């Protein structure tokens, strides 16, 4: 241990105190030993250091900070260097705000298009997500602070996220859901990781010995700190034994006492606690070093320009019929859509940033060179139908050469804590589009949202520009693409299916207790491509104002080399993608998988040579019999393309294997070998899983306990429990009715799906676990006994001395 002498000088109580937060955002300090607090802050795409003070919980406004593009947006850039540059500037701002640990990036895989937090994640592909995350981590940590990669692991839905049990087979877990984290740890060298709320195959992730010890610590050699998600600690001692050092936020000393008692009783060896303290001290001391040096306020304008550059490279041109784009000089443009007036630029939840500057489309036209003849909102932002707005928009559209129609999803549709109900954009926007198409077919739609949407209306537009959620400079960036000042170079980091029912995980978001990942590794393009299912836009797709030609492929055991020529008339950037497919049919696999990529700038008429090396992930698969990564001896298709379906060059390569036994019996898993995983039977899934899947339904006969949710109060034995449930349902309905949708969402996120233990874990000691026992008595039908118990425990708590960095010096 690095800090052995310091740890020997601590009391047991002091060691325990370091394992939980001092308040909602800070870690504990021990002044007599020179141990300072750390400040943690949300920040996947911008710092959210709450202006009200670090002691306050909730989603309060943060100090002004640059709102960069969200992860879903920057993923479309396919530019590792750009992700690193963005991380560097995030790190600079964190230092100016005295933030030690920046809670991001989020790298969970986009298993399903409806996950409410998809805007905060990179991709459906773990290799792309991992490489971009590693770049961002390097940038953040280059400034002396720590990134905190989240949410480890298999957190792919928001509904019931604090209790849901993700049932995943080991191979799918390793190949799909852990690979991005592996890259973040091994290549990004992240100093901290945040565990997810959910259970994985029956065990909460922060208590999961296989996940936390076998894989994270032993296999990946992670030496850093593991932090719970806020309120995500279930059993504090089980978490420490698994190596989860820091519990956030504070529990006002309650879990400190649990730790002390566990050591004294022999339930946990003090050496285990010492190791956790040692790792935490390393993070505290190394991240606090930067604050010993002078630092200055960041340059707001410069950071805004970096945000703009990131947005520009991430914009995806999806359709350009008749070369309607870029908009030619002198053409009269009608600007329609509420999102043009008030830009949609970020998601909702803990990642909300209070921007330093905010560009809006209507304020940026003069510098774009595009001639606007007027603006009409055209629709009500939150879905209410308004015929008069449509009529006014159509009158304006009649006078224009081109209609710029700004549409998308509103701020409360994509939000932390909630999943979307469909892939559709609001009907009132489609009604407007249909009406506009009748009076002027020259429509360019500008789409603003952070996740996949259905587009049955796409034939009604000639141009489609997808800006995703481009941060505070996103609106100006889109205009620069529309005008031709910027040649679009973004490509989709996720597949756009024709309809939601085509997705392999469309039985989403799982049942009451668990969600079964029956599709195995066949998610996103891995499914559509292998099952030969048509999609609207494939993974890796994106148009340019120029054209590129691929030639002269050369493949050897080190990698692939080829040439790209810009055959158009203007300079541009191309994203070349390397896919690999195994020709053997002995082990079921996707038809092809992304194994490398390169983004390269090429002038008009110029030819450049591109080299994409193979790495340790190019040919591997996880073998459940040997319990390790293996290589199947076979011929492999080596494919280079402009998207996963637009393969321009191909060759084959024979690769020697590791001689591992075949992991599966083909006859037992026929559907997986056919890749037709849309309707996997429970029996076949359990064969893949290697065990029985748990009952996905709640046991309504049992009394409610710590890990049951407020939602389950609808079945409570006590009248008070059912009243709580119906009160929350009514308040949620009423808030939506009066237009307070953000608050209504917060009700669902913070109360409806929260387990009872969350009441104790998230209230900073106002309610402790003994008081929670009283609450459970009340909802389970023993109202008076529970009330007396609460009052008794509350009285005890008021009389007990406050704990914290208390303890006598060891002699």
């Amino acid at each position: 241990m690095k800090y052995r002498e310091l740890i020997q000088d601590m009391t047991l109580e002091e060691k325990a105190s370091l394992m939980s937060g001092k308040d909602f955002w800070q870690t504990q300090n021990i002044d007599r030993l020179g141990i300072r607090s750390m400040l943690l802050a949300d920040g996947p795409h911008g710092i959210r250091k709450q202006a009200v003070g670090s002691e306050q919980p909730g989603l309060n406004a943060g100090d002004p900070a640059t709102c960069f593009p969200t992860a879903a947006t920057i993923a479309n850039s396919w530019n590792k260097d750009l992700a690193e540059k963005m991380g560097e500037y995030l790190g600079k701002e964190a230092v100016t705000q005295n933030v030690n640990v920046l809670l991001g990036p989020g790298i969970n895989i986009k298993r399903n298009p409806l996950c409410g937090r998809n805007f905060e994640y990179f991709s459906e592909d773990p290799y792309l997500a991992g490489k971009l995350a590693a770049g961002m981590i390097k940038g953040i940590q280059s400034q002396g602070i720590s990134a905190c990669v989240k949410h480890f692991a298999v957190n792919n839905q928001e509904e019931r996220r604090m209790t849901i049990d993700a049932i995943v087979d080991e191979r799918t877990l390793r190949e799909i859901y852990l690979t991005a984290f592996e890259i973040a740890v091994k290549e990004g060298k992240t100093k901290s990781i945040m565990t997810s709320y959910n259970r994985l195959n029956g065990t909460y992730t922060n208590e999961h010995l296989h996940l936390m010890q076998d894989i994270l610590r032993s296999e990946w050699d992670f030496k850093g700190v593991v932090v719970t998600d806020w309120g995500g600690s279930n059993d504090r001692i089980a978490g420490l034994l698994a190596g989860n050092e820091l519990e956030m936020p504070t529990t006002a000393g309650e879990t400190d006492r649990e730790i002390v008692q566990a050591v004294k009783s022999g339930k946990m060896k003090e050496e285990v606690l010492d190791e956790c303290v040692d790792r935490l001290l390393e993070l505290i001391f190394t991240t606090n070093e930067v604050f010993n040096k002078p630092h200055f306020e960041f340059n707001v304008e410069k950071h805004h320009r970096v945000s703009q550059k990131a947005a520009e490279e991430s914009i995806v041109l999806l359709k350009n019929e008749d070369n309607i784009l870029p908009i030619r000089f002198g053409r009269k443009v009608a600007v329609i859509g509420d999102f043009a007036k008030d830009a949609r630029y970020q998601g909702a939840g803990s990642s909300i940033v209070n921007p330093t500057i905010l560009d809006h489309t209507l304020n940026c036209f003069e510098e774009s060179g595009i001639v606007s003849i007027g603006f009409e909102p055209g629709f009500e932002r939150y879905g209410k139908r308004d015929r008069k707005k449509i009529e006014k928009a159509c009158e304006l559209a009649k006078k224009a050469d081109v209609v710029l129609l700004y549409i998308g999803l509103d701020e409360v549709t994509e939000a932390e804590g909630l999943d979307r109900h469909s892939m559709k954009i609001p009907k009132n926007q489609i009604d407007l589009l249909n009406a506009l198409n009748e009076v002027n077919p020259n429509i360019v739609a500008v789409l603003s949202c952070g996740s996949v949407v259905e587009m049955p209306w796409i034939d009604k537009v000639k141009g489609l520009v997808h800006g995703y959620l481009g941060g505070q400079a996103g609106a100006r960036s889109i205009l620069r693409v529309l005008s031709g000042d910027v040649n679009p170079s973004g490509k989709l980091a996720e597949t756009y299916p024709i309809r939601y029912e085509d997705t392999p995980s469309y039985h989403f978001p799982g049942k009451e207790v668990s969600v079964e990942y029956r599709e195995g590794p066949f998610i996103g393009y891995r499914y559509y491509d292998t099952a030969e299912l048509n999609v609207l836009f494939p993974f890796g797709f994106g148009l340019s104002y120029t054209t590129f030609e691929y030639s002269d492929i050369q493949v050897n055991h080190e990698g692939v080399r080829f040439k790209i020529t810009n055959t158009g008339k203007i300079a541009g950037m191309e994203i070349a993608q390397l896919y690999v497919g195994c020709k053997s049919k002995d082990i079921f696999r996707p038809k092809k998988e992304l194994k490398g990529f390169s983004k390269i700038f090429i002038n008009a008429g110029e030819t450049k040579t591109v080299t994409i090396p193979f790495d340790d992930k190019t040919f591997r698969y996880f073998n459940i019999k040997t319990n390790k990564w293996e290589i199947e001896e076979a011929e492999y298709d080596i494919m280079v393309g402009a998207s996963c379906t637009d393969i321009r060059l191909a060759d084959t390569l024979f690769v020697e294997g590791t001689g591992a036994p075949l992991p599966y019996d083909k006859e037992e898993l026929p559907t997986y070998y056919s890749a037709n995983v849309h309707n996997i039977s429970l029996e076949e899934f359990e064969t893949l899983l290697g065990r029985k899947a748990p009952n996905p339904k709640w046991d309504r006969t049992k009394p409610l306990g710590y890990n049951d949710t407020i939602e389950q109060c609808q079945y409570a034995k006590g009248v008070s429990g059912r009243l709580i449930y119906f009160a929350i349902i009514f308040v949620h309905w009423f808030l939506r009715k009066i237009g307070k949708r953000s608050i209504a969402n917060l009700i669902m996120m913070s109360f409806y799906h929260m387990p009872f233990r969350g009441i104790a874990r998230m209230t900073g000691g106002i309610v402790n676990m003994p008081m929670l026992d009283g609450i459970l008595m009340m909802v389970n039908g023993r109202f008076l006994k529970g009330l007396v118990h609460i009052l008794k425990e509350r009285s005890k708590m008021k009389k007990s001395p406050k704990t914290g960095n208390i303890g006598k010096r060891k002699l």
Side-chain angles (χ1 to χ4, degrees), residues 139-150:
I140 292 169
Q141 296 188 166
S142 70
Q143 302 306 301
I145 64 162
S146 171
C148 185
V149 173
K150 60 186 187 181

Side-chain angles (χ1 to χ4, degrees), residues 376-395:
E376 286 293 340
F379 60 85
E380 197 276 333
R381 194 177 190 92
Y382 296 104
K384 186 178 179 182
R385 185 176 172 81
D386 191 323
R387 172 53 57 184
K388 287 184 178 179
K389 285 186 177 179
I390 293 178
E391 290 172 356
K392 286 182 179 180
C394 287
E395 287 302 313

